[in-house]
Amino acid sequence: MLSRSSFTALAVGVCAVYVAHTCWVMYGIVYTRPCPEGGSAACVWPYLARRPKLQLSVYTTTRSNIGAESNIDLVLNVEDFDIESKFERTVNVSVPKKTRNNGTLYAYIFLHHAGILPWHDGKQVHIVSPLTTYMVPKPEEINLLTGESTTQQIEAEKQTSALDEPVSHWRSRLTLNVMVEDFVFDGSSLPADVHRYMKMIQLGKTVHYLPILFIDQLSNRVKDLMVINRSTTELPLTVSYDKISLGKLRFWIHMQDAVYSLQQFGFSEKDADEVKGIFVDTNLYFLALTFFVAAFHLLFDFLAFKNDISFWKKKRSMIGMSTKAVLWRCFSTVVIFLFLLDEQTSLLVLIPAGIGAVIELWKVKKALKMTIKWQGIRPKIQFGASNDSEKKTEEYDTQAMKYLSYLLYPLCIGGAAYSLLNVKYKSWYSWLINSFVNGVYAFGFLFMLPQLFVNYKMKSVAHLPWKAFTYKAFNTFIDDIFAFIITMPTSHRLACFRDDVVFLVYLYQRWLYPVDKSRVNEYGESYEEKPKKKAHRE
């Protein structure tokens, strides 16, 4: 059996190896070996180095393959296209009847020589992207008392269709990139990720690759989707362009492949969208820092859960511990988990919250000394007895809760009534969960006061699980960073900063009440009560 210290060292070592491996993989992605000098026969040269005059054309069609100019619509034509200049233009696209009946509409993007039609240009490059997708529409929110909808008009199709039935949505953004570096590739070791986007031609004795055209699928966000109705004849399409470096292009290709793999493994469109948001809405340098921070977040999560479980597994007495604070922490954790589930929050946030809720339920069982015995198919729950010291702690605990209830209950009830009158919800269940969770987030820190009050009365903090607290504190500071990166409800984001204040108060009490070996520690024993080791016999 590994000792606790060696197990922690092993976990830290695994984390360090993971970080080092991630650094090596990231270096392999962003760094591409150029063609060596003197190896011109195997080199692949950039066609853009010739500075050709280019034109950008965007067509739409309901067919996945086109061979001629028929049955296609030109929606954007950029003559004298400058690959170095970014732009953004919004055009109106005609929606064919086939697309309005849940069909697919494709965008064909051509980069070709100016003055020549794309299908007459042997050196053109093109890429195809669907402008429609299928997704379950967001449930409509109404005022539960008046029945008033968030929208003034509700289409007949939306009233008759089931909420869990996917419908056709319009992708209102199309983001294009061209790799602009005059990079000379080594033909014998072309990167596989870029190779599938390359089109090569022979010019004399040398091989050239045509401009690398890329569609940034990570920029297609759920918030930009629009429901396609049968009465819709035109929809807006925002076409944006920006140049891209080779390193960022390779990184973006890998990220798009990773998101696609998540969807193949069963991630919903919304879960994949949360991952996209991490990459698209965040500065790349800050994103690189996030990768390392996320590794340490997983490590501290694991160590916090491990030490918390170890602490409560060995806990034999509730002396100095606020039972009501444990009960409240369990209730609030379960409510937060249900709230995040109702809001369809990212799995990156939901899974740790679910694990935490299970651990809190187990801690309540330990705190109340509950035992469950089965009498046939009927369970019988028994509670253990408390000693005099535990009863004294419960007295302090009850005294703190008495004063706290005068403030807490009116605030929670008033907040729930206000939200019922002024805020729209999907259902009564959604209102109930939101009312509970708003009370938890807004006033949850008040329920830490009973434990602080018990610490004050006993003039001790030795009974608290400080190892688990330390790891959780590190994670709280990391959560402050993730609060700006991962999409989550605003109330959950504010709660991350609230936890910082709570931990600082605990640190102040730890400084105020220094360690006394006569006091009871977190395992219900004192140093002075430990049996002395027998003298060694010669």
Side-chain angles (χ1 to χ4, degrees):
M1 293 292 291
L2 290 172
S3 65
R4 282 181 292 175
S5 58
S6 60
F7 189 82
T8 301
L10 177 63
V12 173
V14 170
C15 179
V17 171
Y18 170 76
V19 170
H21 178 263
T22 302
C23 292
W24 176 254
V25 171
M26 294 299 296
Y27 175 76
I29 291 175
V30 299
Y31 174 76
T32 306
R33 188 178 66 180
C35 187
E37 296 182 4
S40 58
C43 292
V44 182
W45 300 84
Y47 184 75
L48 284 177
R50 294 170 170 254
R51 300 297 180 261
K53 191 175 181 181
L54 300 175
Q55 182 174 333
L56 180 71
S57 302
V58 180
Y59 295 86
T60 60
T61 179
T62 56
R63 295 181 297 170
S64 57
N65 292 292
I66 59 172
E69 195 176 351
S70 59
N71 296 324
I72 60 174
D73 295 322
L74 178 65
V75 296
L76 180 64
N77 186 31
V78 182
E79 299 179 354
D80 296 329
F81 175 64
D82 183 8
I83 61 172
E84 297 288 343
S85 302
K86 63 184 299 184
F87 70 82
E88 181 173 294
R89 300 184 187 179
T90 301
V91 295
N92 289 323
V93 179
S94 297
V95 182
K97 184 177 180 181
K98 183 178 178 181
T99 303
R100 296 198 298 267
N101 293 327
N102 280 343
T104 303
L105 188 67
Y106 297 93
Y108 278 76
I109 301 95
F110 290 91
L111 189 59
H112 55 98
H113 286 90
I116 305 177
L117 291 175
W119 30 87
H120 296 159
D121 185 5
K123 298 183 179 65
Q124 58 85 15
V125 291
H126 71 274
I127 195 166
V128 186
S129 176
L131 293 177
T132 56
T133 186
Y134 295 95
M135 194 180 71
V136 177
K138 183 180 178 181
E140 187 183 10
E141 295 180 346
I142 61 173
N143 188 299
L144 297 175
L145 296 179
T146 64
E148 181 185 352
S149 171
T150 53
T151 56
Q152 297 298 323
Q153 297 180 348
I154 305 175
E155 292 124 6
E157 293 89 351
K158 201 171 182 181
Q159 289 179 339
T160 57
S161 63
L163 286 177
D164 58 350
E165 180 183 344
V167 298
S168 186
H169 285 67
W170 175 257
R171 298 184 187 273
S172 61
R173 295 194 64 87
L174 183 64
T175 305
L176 309 175
N177 301 113
V178 173
M179 200 280 286
V180 296
E181 289 185 26
D182 291 337
F183 189 86
V184 181
F185 287 94
D186 185 352
S188 60
S189 59
L190 284 173
D193 44 23
V194 181
H195 191 195
R196 67 178 187 259
Y197 289 91
M198 296 176 67
K199 181 180 177 181
M200 287 171 281
I201 58 173
Q202 185 83 28
L203 296 177
K205 295 183 179 180
T206 58
V207 178
H208 290 70
Y209 64 92
L210 295 174
I212 299 177
L213 183 61
F214 177 72
I215 295 182
D216 184 4
Q217 300 288 0
L218 295 179
S219 296
N220 290 332
R221 305 295 305 279
V222 170
K223 64 183 179 181
D224 297 322
L225 295 179
M226 303 168 62
V227 177
I228 300 177
N229 306 311
R230 294 185 180 180
S231 59
T232 304
T233 57
E234 279 191 348
L235 285 171
L237 176 65
T238 301
V239 181
S240 58
Y241 166 79
D242 197 5
K243 62 183 180 181
I244 191 172
S245 63
L246 177 59
K248 185 177 179 180
L249 173 65
R250 295 191 61 193
F251 178 76
W252 238 232
I253 292 173
H254 280 271
M255 293 306 103
Q256 287 191 174
D257 291 344
V259 171
Y260 177 77
S261 298
L262 290 177
Q263 291 176 312
Q264 295 301 109
F265 280 115
F267 272 56
S268 67
E269 182 80 18
K270 182 173 176 58
D271 290 326
D273 187 69
E274 303 293 351
V275 179
K276 289 180 183 180
I278 296 176
F279 299 113
V280 176
D281 300 336
T282 309
N283 180 278
L284 278 180
Y285 295 104
F286 193 54
L287 182 61
L289 174 65
T290 304
F291 276 113
F292 300 109
V293 170
F296 288 106
H297 190 282
L298 290 175
L299 173 65
F300 293 140
D301 255 341
F302 172 76
L303 293 177
F305 285 146
K306 167 187 169 293
N307 283 278
D308 210 18
I309 292 172
S310 176
F311 168 80
W312 284 95
K313 187 177 180 181
K314 296 180 180 181
K315 191 71 176 172
R316 297 192 299 269
S317 170
M318 285 297 291
I319 298 175
M321 296 291 292
S322 171
T323 304
K324 291 180 175 59
V326 175
L327 289 170
W328 165 252
R329 197 157 47 242
C330 175
F331 171 77
S332 60
T333 306
V334 171
V335 166
I336 289 172
F337 172 73
L338 294 176
F339 169 69
L340 296 175
L341 190 64
D342 183 62
E343 291 289 320
Q344 299 179 340
T345 306
S346 169
L347 292 176
L348 299 173
V349 179
L350 191 62
I351 291 176
I355 296 174
V358 172
I359 292 177
E360 292 299 331
L361 288 169
W362 172 73
K363 285 159 64 174
V364 167
K365 178 179 176 294
K366 293 285 293 184
L368 299 180
K369 301 178 182 179
M370 293 172 56
T371 55
I372 302 176
K373 295 183 179 179
W374 293 89
Q375 297 179 347
I377 60 172
R378 185 169 59 89
K380 182 180 180 181
I381 301 177
Q382 296 179 340
F383 297 92
S386 302
N387 57 36
D388 293 338
S389 298
E390 288 176 323
K391 290 179 180 178
K392 192 67 175 177
T393 301
E394 290 179 8
E395 182 181 333
Y396 296 146
D397 199 10
T398 304
Q399 184 180 355
M401 283 300 301
K402 176 183 176 182
Y403 299 123
L404 186 61
S405 62
Y406 297 151
L407 175 65
L408 186 66
Y409 296 151
L411 289 175
C412 289
I413 295 173
Y418 175 83
S419 63
L420 181 61
L421 293 172
N422 297 280
V423 183
K424 297 176 176 63
Y425 295 97
K426 293 176 289 186
S427 63
W428 285 97
Y429 171 77
S430 181
W431 166 75
L432 185 64
I433 289 296
N434 274 268
S435 298
F436 278 138
V437 85
N438 286 334
V440 168
Y441 284 141
F443 316 117
F445 70 97
L446 296 178
F447 266 95
M448 300 307 297
L449 297 181
Q451 183 62 65
L452 299 176
F453 185 75
V454 170
N455 296 344
Y456 165 72
K457 285 291 187 179
M458 300 190 70
K459 299 295 187 290
S460 172
V461 294
H463 38 267
L464 298 177
W466 280 103
K467 281 188 177 180
F469 271 10
T470 302
Y471 292 129
K472 287 181 180 179
F474 287 140
N475 263 357
T476 297
F477 299 134
I478 293 174
D479 286 339
D480 296 342
I481 299 175
F482 274 104
F484 295 101
I485 299 175
I486 297 178
T487 302
M488 62 180 69
T490 304
S491 52
H492 191 74
R493 181 175 285 120
L494 293 176
C496 296
F497 299 102
R498 180 205 69 193
D499 293 340
D500 297 342
V501 178
V502 173
F503 182 71
L504 291 176
V505 175
Y506 275 119
L507 283 181
Y508 172 73
Q509 284 196 330
R510 184 174 175 84
W511 170 81
L512 194 61
Y513 311 129
V515 175
D516 185 346
K517 292 187 177 182
S518 64
R519 293 178 181 146
V520 176
N521 68 3
E522 63 264 37
Y523 302 117
E525 59 188 19
S526 67
Y527 287 95
E528 293 181 353
E529 293 174 351
K530 287 185 177 181
K532 295 181 179 180
K533 294 181 179 180
K534 294 182 179 180
H536 178 68
R537 293 182 180 179
E538 296 292 341

